């Protein structure tokens, strides 16, 4: 899903974004797609970038002004193709090779966290898109992305989410992978890969790990269901 350097620079320039701009990202679910967009900006080295925690629904619920006029066309800027931080991405081949090893056997094996629902991970729930294999990548760990989120209801009855505070994210991770493993991630002793079905909600796990200061966090940027049907021996719970 990542664009090329040239396409990213072209899109930023057309949107009036310059390399010195502070880009603020939000979505209509609260926190859902904005972490993925933030991941993209950070991977292209645009560090001055943030999300609105709670998105547009929280903004409106707190009585902040909302503009309902059609957007105006921004003044184009010059945005040169940036440096792509390739260490933030794991490829299909990377994940296939890593999946052959149990992370318990060596700290050099990357920990793969699956952000999909538990039912999809176990292969008991149907996949949302035709042709995707059910189950999960071998030696991956189930960590549904919504465990990093808090549900809210606005005064107008609109549901939205915000990301949990770092202390609560830490508790979720300790319950999932254990305190010792978590410390290895935070200290950079082990690297971690976040994954989902399309590379979108994996961004929520990526953001949560960033908030904890994890040193070596990458995102698997391919569709794991399709890839698994080609090479992976997909694990299922019968």
């Amino acid at each position: 899903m990542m664009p090329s350097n040239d396409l990213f620079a072209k899109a930023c320039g057309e949107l009036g974004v310059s390399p010195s701009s502070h880009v603020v990202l939000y979505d209509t679910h609260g926190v859902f797609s904005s972490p993925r967009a933030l991941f993209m900006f950070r991977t292209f080295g645009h560090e001055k970038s943030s999300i609105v925690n709670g998105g547009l629904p929280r903004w409106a619920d707190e009585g902040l002004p909302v503009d309902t006029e059609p957007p105006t066309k921004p003044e184009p800027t010059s945005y040169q193709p940036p440096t792509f931080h390739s260490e933030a991405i794991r490829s299909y081949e990377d994940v296939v090779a890593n999946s052959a090893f149990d992370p318990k056997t060596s700290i050099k094996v990357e920990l793969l966290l699956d952000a999909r629902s538990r039912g999809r991970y176990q292969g008991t729930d149907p996949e949302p898109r035709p042709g995707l294999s059910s189950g999960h990548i071998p030696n991956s760990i189930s960590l549904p992305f919504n465990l990093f989120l808090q549900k809210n209801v606005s005064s107008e009855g609109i549901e939205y989410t915000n990301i949990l505070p770092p202390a609560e994210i830490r508790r979720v991770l300790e319950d999932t992978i254990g305190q010792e493993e978590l410390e290895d991630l935070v200290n950079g002793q082990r690297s971690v890969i976040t994954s989902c079905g399309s590379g979108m909600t994996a961004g929520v796990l990526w953001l949560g790990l960033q908030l904890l200061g994890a040193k070596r966090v990458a995102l698997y940027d391919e569709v794991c269901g399709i890839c698994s049907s080609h090479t992976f021996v997909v694990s299922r719970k019968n």
Side-chain angles (χ1 to χ4, degrees), residues 35 40 44 51 61 63 66 73 90 108 128 136 174 201 222:
M40 178 182 64
F44 280 109
I51 70 162
D61 193 37
V66 176
K73 188 174 182 179
R90 291 295 178 272
K108 294 181 180 180
H136 59 271
E174 287 179 349
T201 57
E222 300 194 43

Side-chain angles (χ1 to χ4, degrees), residues 133-153:
S133 299
S134 61
H136 59 271
I137 296 172
N139 292 311
S140 62
I141 296 172
S142 176
L143 180 59
F145 76 96
N146 58 3
L147 295 180
F148 278 10
L149 303 177
Q150 174 181 311
K151 289 185 178 180
N152 306 276
V153 180

Side-chain angles (χ1 to χ4, degrees), residues 98 103 109-113 141 177 181 185 190-193:
N98 190 74
V109 180
E110 296 188 295
L111 198 67
L112 181 62
L113 300 178
I141 296 172
I177 63 175
E181 190 70 74
L185 298 186
R190 188 195 294 275
S191 59
V192 57
I193 308 168

Side-chain angles (χ1 to χ4, degrees), residues 12-236:
C12 284
E14 291 176 350
L15 290 170
V17 175
S18 70
S20 62
S21 301
H22 190 149
V23 176
V24 180
L25 306 151
Y26 65 90
D27 61 57
T28 57
H29 296 282
V31 173
F32 181 69
S33 56
S34 54
R36 169 67 203 207
L38 180 65
F39 168 78
M40 178 182 64
F41 272 90
R42 294 290 179 88
T43 301
F44 280 109
H46 197 111
E47 294 297 322
K48 292 180 68 176
S49 48
S50 310
I51 70 162
V52 176
N53 191 12
L56 183 61
R58 182 178 180 181
W59 177 275
D61 193 37
E62 294 188 0
L64 298 169
V66 176
D67 187 355
T68 59
E69 295 298 317
T72 57
K73 188 174 182 179
E75 187 70 27
T77 63
S78 176
Y79 200 114
Q80 295 301 311
T83 299
F84 178 74
H85 297 296
S86 59
E87 71 277 4
I89 290 283
R90 291 295 178 272
S91 69
Y92 166 69
E93 291 79 13
D94 293 333
V95 175
V96 168
N98 190 74
S99 71
F101 302 96
D102 186 338
K104 295 178 182 177
T105 61
S106 172
I107 204 164
K108 294 181 180 180
V109 180
E110 296 188 295
L111 198 67
L112 181 62
L113 300 178
D114 189 327
R116 299 172 305 151
S117 68
R118 196 65 51 81
R120 290 176 66 192
Y121 174 87
Q122 294 175 332
T124 56
D125 290 347
E127 288 295 312
R129 294 176 296 280
L132 295 188
S133 299
S134 61
H136 59 271
I137 296 172
N139 292 311
S140 62
I141 296 172
S142 176
L143 180 59
F145 76 96
N146 58 3
L147 295 180
F148 278 10
L149 303 177
Q150 174 181 311
K151 289 185 178 180
N152 306 276
V153 180
S154 73
S155 58
E156 296 184 354
I158 297 173
E159 293 186 356
Y160 67 92
T161 57
N162 61 268
I163 196 154
L164 294 172
E168 295 186 39
I169 291 173
R170 174 177 284 274
R171 177 185 54 77
V172 171
L173 282 164
E174 287 179 349
D175 290 345
T176 302
I177 63 175
Q179 184 176 3
E180 184 176 345
E181 190 70 74
L182 175 57
E183 292 306 318
D184 286 341
L185 298 186
V186 172
N187 296 332
Q189 297 298 309
R190 188 195 294 275
S191 59
V192 57
I193 308 168
T194 65
S195 172
C196 60
S198 64
M200 180 67 72
T201 57
V204 177
L205 298 189
W206 170 86
L207 177 57
L209 289 160
Q210 295 296 316
L211 293 174
L212 293 186
K215 307 296 184 185
R216 298 161 61 195
V217 186
L219 188 147
Y220 177 38
D221 198 43
E222 300 194 43
V223 182
C224 70
I226 291 176
C227 290
S228 65
S229 68
H230 291 311
T231 299
F232 291 119
V233 178
V234 183
S235 300
R236 290 184 176 84

